[in-house]
Amino acid sequence: MERDATTMEADYLEGIARLDDPTSVRLIITRDGIEVVEMVPGSRSIKIPAGSIDEISVADLDFEQRNTNSRWWRSALEPLRVSPASSNRANEERNYMLEVRYRAGDEVRNAVFRYSHRDGRTIALRLDQLLGKPVANDKHAEDHRTRG
């Protein structure tokens, strides 16, 4: 594995022709692109070359739930609050959606993954560093499949 590679586990949801059903995968992100490896032993590996990637976005799946469950003033004061509850929240893993829009021959596809991490921006920054592609950070998840 390349020294500058980032590896993460995710749930594949859709968008890769050779993967039929949602499954657990390992993503290996290098300067050459993204390799998607099924977690099942003896499984398939699919490579998305960096040159074929048009757009990458990371969406916070928990954003809307957190903000609709609390009053506006509570979320406005949250950054000022210092308590064990707020420090625990900073260490909690949150759910994110990673969408990779890429070209496969004449077709444009959207590979969609869900993953958990304490800070989704870390993955977005690493993708930007390795692939040289700016990563769109959506505040909340929308149905990305409706985009072209």
Side-chain angles (χ1 to χ4, degrees), residues 36-92:
V36 182
V37 181
E38 285 182 298
M39 299 285 277
V40 179
S43 58
R44 296 171 283 193
S45 171
I46 295 95
K47 292 186 181 178
I48 303 173
S52 71
I53 298 172
D54 294 329
E55 181 182 355
I56 301 171
S57 65
V58 174
D60 184 340
L61 295 173
D62 295 333
F63 178 80
E64 289 210 14
Q65 181 181 358
R66 282 193 310 275
N67 289 313
T68 56
N69 289 341
S70 65
R71 299 182 184 267
W72 69 269
W73 53 268
R74 195 173 283 158
S75 60
L77 295 174
E78 188 69 31
L80 303 175
R81 190 171 141 189
V82 178
S83 72
S86 64
S87 65
N88 285 343
R89 238 179 260 127
N91 291 324
E92 283 179 5

Side-chain angles (χ1 to χ4, degrees), residues 115-131:
Y115 68 97
S116 297
H117 197 272
R118 284 194 329 256
D119 181 7
R121 293 172 298 186
T122 304
I123 298 297
L125 289 171
R126 195 68 180 131
L127 284 161
D128 185 21
Q129 289 171 348
L130 286 172
L131 297 172

